[in-house]
């Protein structure tokens, strides 16, 4: 029989896949002898089983839950469902990877109308009993029955207002009784039934709700953003309650063993007296810093510090802990490796190595490669900042500089982001529903909340700048404006946020580029020592190339030559070439282009100082270059001595039904070999001149796109070689050069053994390869992919993360077939995927020589390549 349920004392940290992160760590802490309220875990496999059976929990699972509950009752000396001394539990989700805010917790489960009386009598604290009950009803309604929290907040706030009370903690037992009554009425009104009075029914419905929440849209979105497979499932933790809301000797809090924003090696935390659960992170009251606990309850503070250090030493990583104090007794409710900014991640990794706690290799493995992107984000221009006066200042919750237009809800923020605007989201506080809007924002400003509030945690995870807890802000979300420092800022106005200092400025402050230094540089060097995969960049201009070198690029894997033709002084010439009706006329037009193209290549060769450079020959369909505006057509007609109608007709004749699969790539060179000749001449002359002038050892790599057949490649290659040899002779040079191909058509993968006979190298163009393998275009896929994610047909965007099952199989096959023909064949990837960590690992495993990605992703690829080596050890 499968074991679907584990007591905390039956598990440990190694069982994360089965017990989820939270459950495995609760089990591990139990083993370490720490003060953990006991409980049991319904496994991730039970969740998968629930989905496999069309959302059914089997009797077998239910029976095992009952058995575990009986064990827990024995241990706690209390009965679940008892009316005098009831055992109350929390229901907590916990997937393998932590998904903060994605799934919700139910506390105080087991209370009923009768039990709450017994509970009040037993504890001698009716206020506390009713506070627990009202929380339970609201959470249960929200999480299990999907009735929005606000419906209850209305009742709650009305009572507070009626009594003239501003702090929740000032509500009396009778006030809370009244609130419970009101809550039950809301429940009945919304759901047409009474609040359930059978604790077992409450329990089962809650467990099922956690399973169900695994597939809510927020969770699916979070998984897609973080490469978490849907097949992992979530576990459910059922845990005996401890109470932070018992009065002034109780409380609840969260803490990090190091600063999650800067990495500073100081315990960092916040707590609230007489509070429960999410009160701290929800920003309802402003919490106290952990240092206050030393005065409030010195013994608890000492104990807390002891455990914090113990946990960090045990896990050898910065921990994010949740704790509750029940009448001066400390309980730990959670520990996990804390989310942190990239800046903090690098600091902590270096510190832990220096403290001798972990090796360089472990340090490398720990860092989320994707997060390095944050390090490359620009900061504010120092000069402008010094000359500006902030209109306000609050907690620097997530570092980085952001300037943009203000929006007041997630939906507006997302829409503005989609329009290409830079967005600053301003909210009273954020909630998990806001996640897409937060993602679309450059910066987030909240009125409520501390360093561990939802906004702060999520913003740090996303690398979005965040300033939180700015109580001076007077916000009107409905009318879309806020006031601060005597200014009124309306929707669409610009503000600037400094997430590193917490300062808020009026207007659009310019930002400056980042570089690699300090800890970042140190870790990058460690990564370089470990990795075997080379990292190149995709760069079309000397500026991009120079930037990429700053970030550690070792060469260029893709220079697209067509962009060079779009500049105003060139486009008329390329148009003339395209519209020429004879080869002679075309050659004459191309002749004019050579000097431009040669200059471009020289610029790149000079910047690259002898590092390898792959230049791809003209790729897009020609119609992309021809004019559509009347004035442009007229100008071209004049230049070519033709009539307007003649030119117009020629342009129209270039129309294709399916240009992505039309007259483009090497097909252009097959029909117009002069184009390949011109480009070869430009590449070779540029290389020879820079080599002669600067002494760099340049070996040009000429790349023919969109090849699907060996003879096709040979045809173009013969043109290239003939021209290249001619140039060499003319310039009296013995320069070496390579001719290779992009592999981006499925047929090329299938026949890679033949194609390799004519190629010095392959570079996988996984954008086209993905599009042609899936049979949908990347420009149109956005229209329907959302439905695919929602229905769990695809989990991620195949254009962002390489589809290893399908497209990956083609890559692997082509690599093997190519090398079977030519063992020394050089292999690389130059699609967008080249900077995606999971794809980098795949490329390493398949034996490619290099990945090539956009300049800003070069550090990510360097780290991911090192991680690939370590993951295979
Ligand atoms: P999340 O995954 O969103 O952090 P948790 O399952 O950790 O959700 O629950 C949120 C909070 O609820 C905890 O930080 C803790 O304060 C409170 N909580 C959960 N279980 C218990 C419990 N058994 N006793 C007291 N408080 C609890
Ligand atoms: Mg939560
Ligand atoms: Mg938690």
């Amino acid at each position: 029989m499968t074991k679907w349920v584990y007591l905390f004392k039956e598990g440990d940290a190694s069982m994360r896949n089965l017990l989820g992160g939270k459950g495995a760590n609760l089990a591990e802490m139990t083993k370490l002898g720490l003060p953990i309220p006991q409980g049991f875990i319904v496994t991730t496999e039970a969740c998968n089983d629930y989905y496999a059976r069309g959302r059914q929990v089997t009797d077998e699972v239910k029976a095992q839950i009952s058995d575990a509950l009986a064990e827990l009752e024995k241990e706690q000396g209390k009965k679940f469902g008892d009316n005098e001394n009831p055992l109350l539990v929390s229901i907590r989700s916990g997937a393998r990877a932590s998904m903060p805010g994605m799934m919700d917790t139910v506390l105080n489960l087991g209370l009923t109308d009768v039990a709450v009386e017994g509970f009040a009598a037993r504890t001698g604290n009716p206020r506390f009993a009713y506070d627990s009950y009202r929380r339970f009803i609201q959470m249960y309604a929200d999480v299990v029955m999907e009735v929005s929290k606000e419906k209850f907040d209305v009742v709650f706030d009305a009572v507070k207002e009626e009594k003239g009370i501003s702090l929740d903690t000032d509500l009396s037992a009778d006030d809370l009784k009244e609130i419970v009554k009101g809550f039950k009425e809301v429940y009945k009104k919304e759901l047409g039934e009474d609040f359930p009075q059978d604790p077992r029914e409450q329990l089962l419905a809650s467990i099922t709700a956690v399973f169900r929440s695994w597939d809510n849209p927020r969770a699916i979105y979070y998984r897609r953003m973080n490469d978490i497979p849907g097949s992992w499932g979530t576990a459910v933790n059922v845990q005996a309650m401890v109470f932070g809301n018992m009065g002034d000797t109780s409380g609840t809090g969260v803490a990090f063993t190091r600063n999650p924003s800067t990495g500073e090696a100081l315990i960092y935390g916040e707590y609230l007296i007489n509070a429960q659960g999410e009160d701290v992170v929800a920003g309802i009251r402003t919490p106290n810093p952990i240092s206050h606990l030393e005065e409030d309850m010195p013994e608890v503070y000492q104990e807390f510090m002891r455990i914090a250090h113990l946990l960090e030493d045990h896990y050898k990583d910065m921990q994010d802990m949740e704790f509750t104090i029940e009448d001066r007794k400390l309980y730990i409710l959670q520990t996990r490796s804390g989310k942190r900014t990239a800046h903090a991640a690098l600091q902590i990794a270096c510190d832990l190595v220096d403290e001798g706690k972990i090796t360089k290799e472990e340090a490398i493995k720990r860092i989320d490669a994707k997060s390095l992107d944050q390090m490359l984000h620009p900061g504010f221009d120092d000069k402008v900042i010094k000359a500006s006066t902030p209109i306000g200042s609050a907690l620097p919750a997530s570092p980085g500089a952001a300037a943009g237009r203000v929006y007041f809800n997630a939906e507006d923020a997302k829409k503005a982001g989609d329009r290409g605007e830079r967005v600053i989201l301003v909210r009273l506080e954020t909630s998990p529903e806001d996640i897409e809007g937060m993602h679309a924002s450059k910066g987030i400003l909240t009125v409520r909340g501390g360093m561990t509030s939802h906004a702060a945690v999520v913003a740090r995870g996303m690398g979005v700048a965040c300033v939180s807890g700015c109580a001076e802000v007077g916000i009107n979300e409905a009318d879309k404006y806020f006031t601060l420092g005597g200014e009124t800022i309306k929707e669409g106005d610009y503000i600037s946020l400094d997430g590193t200092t917490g300062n808020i400025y009026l207007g659009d402050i310019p930002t400056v580029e980042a570089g690699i230094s300090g800890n970042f540089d140190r870790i990058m060097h460690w990564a370089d020592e470990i990795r075997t995969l080379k990292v190149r960049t995709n760069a079309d201009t000397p500026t991009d190339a120079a930037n990429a070198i700053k970030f550690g690029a070792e060469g260029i894997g893709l220079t697209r030559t067509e962009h060079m033709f779009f500049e105003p002084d060139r486009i008329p010439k390329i148009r003339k070439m395209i519209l020429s009706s004879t080869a002679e006329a075309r050659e004459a037009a191309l002749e004019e282009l050579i000097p431009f193209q040669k200059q471009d290549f020289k610029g790149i060769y000079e910047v690259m100082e002898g590092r390898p450079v792959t230049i791809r020959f003209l790729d897009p369909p020609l119609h992309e270059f021809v004019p559509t505006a009347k004035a442009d057509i007229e100008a071209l007609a004049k230049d070519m001595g033709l009539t307007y109608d003649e030119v117009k007709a020629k342009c129209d004749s270039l129309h294709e039904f399916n240009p992505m699969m039309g007259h483009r790539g090497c097909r252009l060179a097959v029909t117009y070999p002069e184009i390949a000749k011109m480009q070869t001449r430009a590449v070779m002359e540029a290389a020879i001149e820079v080599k002669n002038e600067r002494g760099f050892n340049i070996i040009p790599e000429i790349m023919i796109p969109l090849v699907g057949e060996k003879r096709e490649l040979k045809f173009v290659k013969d043109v290239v070689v003939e021209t290249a040899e001619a140039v060499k002779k003319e310039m009296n040079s013995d320069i070496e050069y390579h001719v290779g191909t992009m592999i981006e058509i499925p047929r090329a993968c299938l026949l890679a053994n033949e194609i390799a006979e004519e190629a010095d190298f392959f570079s996988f163009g996984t954008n086209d390869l993905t599009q042609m393998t899936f049979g949908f275009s990347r420009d149109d896929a956005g229209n329907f992919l959302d439905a695919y994610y929602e229905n769990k047909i695809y989990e991620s965007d195949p254009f962002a993360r390489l589809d290893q099952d399908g497209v990956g199989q083609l890559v692997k096959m082509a690599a093997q077939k190519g090398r079977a023909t030519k063992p020394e064949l050089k292999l690389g990837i130059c699609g967008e995927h080249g900077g995606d960590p999971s794809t980098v690992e795949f490329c390493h495993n398949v034996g490619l020589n290099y990945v090539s990605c956009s300049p800003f992703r070069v550090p990510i690829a360097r780290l991911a390549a090192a991680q690939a080596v370590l993951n295979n050890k």
Side-chain angles (χ1 to χ4, degrees):
M1 196 175 64
T2 312
K3 189 167 166 58
W4 302 108
V5 179
Y6 287 76
L7 297 171
F8 287 177
K9 60 185 179 206
E10 292 175 320
D12 62 45
S14 72
M15 296 164 76
R16 165 180 284 267
N17 293 0
L18 185 64
L19 303 182
K22 197 181 285 170
N25 286 338
L26 284 166
E28 181 80 6
M29 289 192 290
T30 300
K31 237 180 152 177
L32 292 172
L34 300 183
I36 310 300
Q38 285 302 292
F40 57 87
I41 304 150
V42 189
T43 64
T44 53
E45 282 177 3
C47 175
N48 289 337
D49 186 65
Y50 161 85
Y51 280 107
R53 290 173 193 278
R55 303 189 173 218
Q56 292 293 327
V57 179
T58 61
D59 289 342
E60 187 175 289
V61 173
K62 287 181 197 167
Q64 292 192 20
I65 291 172
S66 274
D67 292 348
L69 189 61
E71 283 291 321
L72 188 61
E73 288 174 328
K74 234 189 279 168
E75 209 169 53
Q76 302 288 311
K78 292 180 189 175
K79 282 257 175 251
F80 187 67
D82 192 85
N83 286 335
E84 302 303 320
N85 186 20
L87 169 64
L88 303 187
V89 296
S90 64
I91 310 296
R92 318 173 64 189
S93 62
R96 245 193 250 188
S98 87
M99 294 170 57
M102 287 294 107
M103 278 170 283
D104 296 309
T105 302
V106 179
L107 302 178
N108 311 326
L109 185 138
L111 280 175
T112 60
D113 293 352
V114 186
V116 72
E117 297 282 348
F119 193 50
R122 175 94 192 181
T123 55
N125 190 346
R127 187 202 174 276
F128 154 65
Y130 283 93
D131 184 54
S132 303
Y133 197 27
R134 63 96 185 170
R135 290 172 186 271
F136 172 45
I137 297 171
Q138 185 173 16
M139 281 185 260
Y140 185 90
D142 170 36
V143 178
V144 182
M145 307 305 288
E146 298 177 359
V147 181
S148 94
K149 285 199 210 63
E150 283 79 46
K151 295 243 154 69
F152 296 90
D153 287 342
V154 173
V155 173
F156 193 75
D157 293 340
V159 173
K160 270 168 73 176
E161 180 147 2
E162 188 192 314
K163 310 277 164 174
I165 284 171
S166 67
L167 284 179
D168 297 2
T169 40
D170 290 340
L171 289 162
S172 70
D174 284 338
D175 298 337
L176 289 160
K177 247 186 223 179
E178 192 181 327
I179 287 168
V180 163
K181 189 158 158 271
F183 277 15
K184 284 174 56 196
E185 280 162 19
V186 173
Y187 189 95
K188 175 118 195 214
K189 180 160 160 269
E190 292 297 323
L191 294 161
E193 62 192 38
D194 283 320
F195 185 72
Q197 296 295 315
D198 174 0
R200 290 199 179 245
E201 180 193 332
Q202 297 171 353
L203 179 67
L204 212 60
S206 303
I207 292 173
T208 314
V210 173
F211 286 162
R212 195 178 63 216
S213 75
W214 177 249
D215 260 0
N216 74 30
R218 280 188 266 138
I220 290 177
Y221 179 78
Y222 187 91
R223 290 205 290 271
R224 187 163 84 248
M225 273 173 44
N226 292 281
D227 280 345
I228 296 174
S231 62
W232 283 3
T234 181
V236 186
N237 302 281
V238 178
Q239 185 177 27
M241 284 300 302
V242 288
F243 299 97
N245 56 336
M246 269 190 159
D248 291 342
T249 54
S250 301
T252 183
V254 295
F256 294 87
T257 55
R258 295 174 192 237
N259 186 314
S261 196
T262 64
E264 196 191 355
L266 268 184
I267 296 206
Y268 194 90
E270 292 167 332
Y271 72 103
L272 274 177
I273 288 293
N274 198 9
Q276 191 176 49
E278 310 268 76
D279 290 3
V280 181
V281 289
I284 293 165
R285 283 186 271 150
T286 300
N288 302 317
I290 196 86
S291 53
H292 276 207
L293 191 60
E294 195 168 9
E295 295 152 36
D296 279 358
M297 300 181 212
E299 302 81 47
V300 175
Y301 179 77
Q302 295 309 333
E303 172 72 347
F304 174 77
M305 295 306 265
R306 181 186 74 83
I307 292 176
H309 289 302
L310 183 149
L311 284 173
E312 183 176 289
D313 287 347
H314 183 71
Y315 287 100
K316 297 193 170 65
D317 196 5
M318 186 265 267
Q319 295 296 295
D320 167 0
M321 300 170 300
E322 296 173 7
F323 61 93
T324 281
I325 303 159
E326 178 182 297
D327 196 18
R328 295 187 185 277
K329 167 132 183 57
L330 176 70
Y331 292 93
I332 305 296
L333 288 168
Q334 187 171 341
T335 194
R336 64 178 167 215
S337 286
K339 300 245 177 227
R340 60 203 80 179
T341 61
H343 182 83
L346 297 169
Q347 182 72 49
I348 291 169
C350 287
D351 285 350
L352 287 172
V353 169
D354 293 340
E355 289 163 23
K357 290 184 178 158
I358 59 173
T359 61
K360 287 179 195 172
E361 285 75 15
E362 282 168 317
I364 291 285
K365 272 167 97 167
R366 291 275 177 81
I367 295 163
D368 172 15
K370 268 189 182 168
S371 75
L372 291 181
D373 183 47
Q374 295 166 27
M375 298 299 296
L376 305 169
H377 284 319
F380 283 130
D381 186 332
D382 258 352
K383 283 196 270 332
V384 184
I385 278 290
K386 287 215 177 85
S388 316
T389 321
I391 53 169
S393 173
L395 293 172
S398 176
R405 291 170 186 270
V406 166
Y407 289 91
F408 291 91
N409 64 57
E411 203 176 315
D412 291 346
K414 185 164 183 298
K415 278 194 204 134
D418 289 346
R419 287 195 297 272
E421 288 181 24
R422 284 174 288 127
V423 173
I424 305 286
L425 180 65
V426 181
R427 301 278 286 152
L428 191 59
E429 63 203 335
T430 64
S431 74
E433 285 83 28
D434 295 338
I435 198 127
E436 289 192 61
M438 295 171 78
H439 201 225
S441 304
K442 298 269 176 235
I444 297 166
L445 170 63
T446 68
V447 182
R448 291 188 188 158
M451 287 291 284
T452 53
S453 65
H454 178 266
V457 171
V458 174
R460 281 197 296 270
M462 290 175 171
V464 172
C466 177
V467 174
S468 72
C470 189
E472 292 79 48
V473 166
I475 192 168
N476 187 328
E477 288 183 337
D479 295 336
K480 303 188 175 176
Y481 69 86
F482 75 91
T483 54
L484 180 65
E487 306 281 347
T488 299
I489 295 108
K490 295 189 294 293
E491 182 183 74
D493 291 350
Y494 277 100
I495 62 165
S496 301
L497 296 182
D498 190 335
T500 314
T501 60
N503 285 339
I504 303 154
Y505 302 88
L506 209 57
D508 188 7
I509 295 182
T511 51
V512 288
E513 295 295 331
I516 297 187
S517 60
N519 292 328
F520 191 8
D521 193 39
R522 207 172 156 207
I523 297 228
M524 282 294 116
H525 276 100
W526 295 344
D528 291 346
E529 285 165 18
I530 295 167
R531 72 186 162 91
T532 52
L533 198 62
K534 298 261 182 230
V535 177
R536 296 197 190 183
T537 190
N538 300 346
D540 302 346
T541 64
T543 318
D544 285 354
N547 221 351
I549 288 183
K550 217 171 70 186
F551 295 148
E554 298 167 287
I556 293 180
L558 174 65
T559 294
R560 304 176 192 82
T561 51
E562 52 271 17
H563 292 169
M564 303 168 175
F565 291 137
F566 280 105
E567 283 172 31
D569 50 346
R570 305 165 185 198
I571 188 99
K573 298 187 171 61
I574 187 115
R575 285 174 176 163
K576 210 158 135 188
M577 183 278 286
I578 292 169
L579 298 182
S580 301
S581 34
T582 63
E584 290 73 39
R586 243 187 327 271
E587 269 179 38
L590 283 163
E591 201 63 42
E592 292 183 50
L593 279 168
I594 289 182
F596 290 105
Q597 188 120 77
K598 183 169 139 189
Q599 255 342 97
D600 293 331
F601 295 152
K602 279 188 79 173
I604 288 175
Y605 281 130
E606 276 163 8
V607 170
M608 294 308 288
E609 302 186 324
R611 295 179 184 87
V613 176
T614 305
I615 292 171
R616 178 181 72 183
F617 277 12
L618 197 65
D619 184 53
L622 293 181
H623 75 90
E624 286 189 12
F625 296 101
V626 301
T628 49
K630 190 152 181 248
D632 290 343
I633 297 178
E634 273 166 358
L636 189 59
K638 200 165 147 223
D639 192 28
M640 296 185 72
L642 298 170
T643 67
Y644 175 87
D645 289 337
E646 280 170 323
V647 172
K648 177 87 171 62
K650 276 210 121 157
C651 292
D652 290 346
S653 75
L654 287 169
H655 169 81
E656 291 179 301
F657 285 103
N658 199 343
M660 267 300 150
M661 301 178 89
H663 193 182
R664 56 173 286 223
C666 62
R667 294 157 208 159
L668 293 171
V670 171
T671 46
Y672 306 128
E674 330 48 277
I675 300 178
K677 269 190 214 160
M678 178 279 280
Q679 294 204 290
T680 305
R681 187 161 274 283
V683 169
M684 294 302 290
E685 288 182 6
I688 294 168
E689 282 180 21
V690 175
K691 186 174 176 182
N692 291 347
E693 287 160 15
R694 305 281 304 274
F696 301 134
N697 179 27
I698 297 171
I699 304 176
E701 297 175 356
I702 291 171
M703 178 154 78
I704 313 299
L706 226 66
V707 166
E709 157 64 41
K710 179 180 110 174
R711 277 171 297 208
E712 190 180 32
L713 174 59
K714 180 164 183 339
F715 180 90
V716 183
K717 185 181 163 186
D718 287 348
V719 173
V720 170
V721 169
E722 194 190 314
T723 312
E725 291 303 323
V727 174
K728 276 170 68 177
K729 212 156 160 203
E730 280 164 31
M731 298 180 71
N732 200 10
S733 164
D734 60 354
I735 194 169
E736 230 188 287
Y737 61 96
H738 296 154
V739 185
T741 176
M742 256 170 107
I743 300 286
E744 50 188 335
I745 287 186
R747 191 174 191 275
C749 298
L750 297 166
L751 296 172
N753 49 329
E754 292 184 7
I755 291 175
E757 289 169 22
E758 295 296 333
D760 297 323
F761 62 87
F762 284 174
S763 176
F764 291 96
T766 47
N767 299 345
D768 264 307
L769 188 59
T770 298
Q771 136 170 300
M772 301 219 203
T773 304
F774 277 83
F776 52 64
S777 101
R778 69 181 131 135
D779 302 309
D780 300 315
N783 295 331
F784 53 80
L785 277 180
D786 276 341
Y788 276 67
Y789 304 140
E790 272 156 35
N791 293 300
K792 298 219 293 184
I793 299 170
Y794 296 144
E795 291 191 333
S796 58
D797 178 353
F799 294 106
R801 182 180 198 269
L802 186 76
D803 159 46
Q804 295 181 13
D805 298 339
V807 180
Q809 215 179 112
L810 287 171
V811 171
K812 198 168 164 186
M813 179 205 294
Q816 281 164 354
K817 281 180 176 257
R819 287 240 173 94
T821 300
K822 199 177 265 179
E824 73 282 12
L825 187 72
K826 199 188 277 175
L827 300 174
I829 178 177
C830 63
E832 276 306 301
H833 303 95
D836 167 63
S838 68
T839 309
V840 172
E841 177 164 9
F842 174 82
C843 292
H844 171 86
N845 292 343
V846 179
L848 302 198
N849 300 89
Y850 68 86
V851 295
S852 187
C853 57
S854 62
F856 281 94
R857 292 167 90 185
V858 165
I860 297 176
R862 286 163 76 190
L863 186 69
Q867 289 173 337
V869 172
L870 299 174
N871 289 344
N872 280 292
K873 265 193 182 152

